[in-house]
Amino acid sequence: MKRLTVITIIALLFAVANLAGKDKRNRTGLTPYTIPLPAFVGDYFDKMPVDEENPLTEEGIALGRRLFYDKRLSAGNTLSCGSCHQQSHAFADNRPFSLGVHDSVGIINTMPLFNLGWARSFFWDGRAPSLREQVTEPLINRLEMAGTWADVLDKLQQDKDYPRLFGAVFGPGKINSTMVAKALTQFELTLVSFNTRFDQYYFDGQADALTPQEERGLDIFFGFGNCNHCHSDVLLTDNYFRNNGLDLTPKPGLYNTTGKESDRGRVKVPSLRNIALTAPYMHDGRFQTLEEVLDFYSSGIHQKSPNIDEHVVPLGKGLFLTAEQKADLIAFLNTLTDSSFIRNPAFSDPNPPLK
């Protein structure tokens, strides 16, 4: 009888605990969200890391999307994140240097935003070790959105909708910078781009997805061009920092973050996905076209540049591509465009604002 009583009590305790857990999940009212990814991403590459402190929900993503396009995050309410990260350009800018508040000019080219969940650090010089830090730095950068957290948070708190939306996602209390960063991060993590003709050909095995010219360009890319040594894997970037020999005296790059002489001149390798949409090119936007980029890699490499990358050294002064080879390679690079990504309404400016 005593044993039966003990077992009964334990069972009741487990039942109560389970009901409490279910009640807690229901009270949140949040809808978990899983980013849709093609099977080949998991087959050929690592799964996107999960931030247990900031789980994706439909409500959190919708809030982050609204913030991404809200100009009140800037001084004078003139710029939003989407002002410089434009969907039509794969969330990059079409200027060498973006214009900030009061038309201040930036000092480095705006990087595109997609497939960010796999990155280990952010910006050309790697100064942000997490996406949560990357999404908020422009808000207070004097050359960009030039705001202050006190001003931004006051404007959000005074809005008729934001306190309710933030409360629904993060719980009661005043809006703070951590909440803003988490919401923006949730939205930006959903900006994934893996639907190109290259993907159909290379990963899905659709032999007719590329033309003969594009196939010749692919052979150069993965062959004597050695492009895939740095623009590698499913992401078409290794997310490392390298000096590709642009200048004899390169700008500091990663050195600004680490202080190591061995990092001077090294900058982050950008993904070549959507490359046809993200001109101008290089960290300083010096090349307006892909033709100019290939001219550099064909005959303009500076081998005496300090800390030049080991994969660039074997190229000598360049690949010395013929006109036909350049045309073939550009044709292939155009197959890396994800048209569905730049047209996806889930990534666009919510107008009217999301509820």
Side-chain angles (χ1 to χ4, degrees), residues 148-169:
T148 66
W149 274 119
D151 182 50
V152 168
L153 295 177
D154 182 64
K155 286 186 284 188
L156 296 179
Q157 195 67 50
Q158 297 303 316
D159 180 79
K160 65 181 181 67
D161 295 321
Y162 274 128
R164 171 177 56 84
L165 296 173
F166 272 95
V169 175

Side-chain angles (χ1 to χ4, degrees), residues 118-336:
W118 289 272
R120 295 178 292 272
S121 57
F122 299 85
F123 296 113
W124 289 103
D125 58 6
R127 64 185 180 276
S130 71
L131 181 57
R132 201 183 298 179
E133 292 173 81
Q134 181 274 326
V135 297
T136 56
E137 184 186 289
L139 274 64
I140 56 176
N141 187 305
R142 64 181 181 84
L143 294 178
E144 298 183 54
M145 299 169 78
T148 66
W149 274 119
D151 182 50
V152 168
L153 295 177
D154 182 64
K155 286 186 284 188
L156 296 179
Q157 195 67 50
Q158 297 303 316
D159 180 79
K160 65 181 181 67
D161 295 321
Y162 274 128
R164 171 177 56 84
L165 296 173
F166 272 95
V169 175
F170 299 111
K174 293 188 68 174
I175 301 170
N176 60 47
S177 60
T178 299
M179 295 176 183
V180 174
K182 284 185 174 182
L184 284 169
T185 297
Q186 286 197 43
F187 172 64
E188 291 195 9
L189 283 175
T190 68
L191 302 177
V192 296
S193 178
F194 294 107
N195 185 24
T196 71
R197 289 196 293 118
F198 163 71
D199 295 320
Q200 296 164 13
Y201 178 92
Y202 197 82
F203 297 113
D204 292 336
Q206 298 182 27
D208 60 349
L210 300 188
T211 67
Q213 182 185 35
E214 292 162 351
E215 287 183 319
R216 293 196 301 270
L218 180 148
D219 290 339
I220 296 172
F221 186 91
F222 288 98
F224 76 90
N226 294 309
C227 311
N228 66 309
H229 283 165
C230 301
H231 300 286
S232 56
D233 297 317
V234 171
L235 301 178
L236 294 181
T237 173
D238 58 10
N239 277 318
Y240 278 91
F241 295 81
R242 304 183 186 278
N243 175 6
N244 62 348
L246 274 177
D247 300 292
L248 283 172
T249 54
K251 292 181 179 179
L254 185 61
Y255 170 83
N256 281 340
T257 301
T258 67
K260 298 179 180 178
E261 281 298 327
S262 58
D263 288 333
R264 188 179 293 277
R266 298 173 62 204
V267 296
K268 189 168 186 177
V269 177
S271 173
L272 292 189
R273 288 185 173 274
N274 298 303
I275 191 67
L277 305 174
T278 60
Y281 303 107
M282 304 298 170
H283 61 282
D284 55 7
R286 69 177 66 186
F287 299 136
Q288 293 295 317
T289 66
L290 288 173
E291 286 80 3
E292 292 179 21
V293 173
L294 293 190
D295 286 343
F296 160 71
Y297 281 114
S298 186
S299 59
I301 296 174
H302 295 281
Q303 283 290 344
K304 293 184 179 180
S305 184
N307 303 317
I308 191 166
D309 191 74
E310 61 181 351
H311 297 303
V312 178
V313 172
L315 303 182
K317 190 172 177 61
L319 296 168
F320 294 99
L321 299 167
T322 66
E324 181 181 10
Q325 288 169 333
K326 290 179 184 178
D328 292 346
L329 192 48
I330 288 174
F332 167 69
L333 293 175
N334 282 319
T335 72
L336 305 179

Side-chain angles (χ1 to χ4, degrees), residues 40-61:
F40 69 77
V41 175
D43 292 340
Y44 289 89
F45 200 61
D46 301 328
K47 291 183 178 180
M48 182 189 293
V50 175
D51 183 355
E52 300 291 348
E53 296 182 359
N54 190 27
L56 297 182
T57 65
E58 291 184 6
E59 295 79 8
I61 293 164

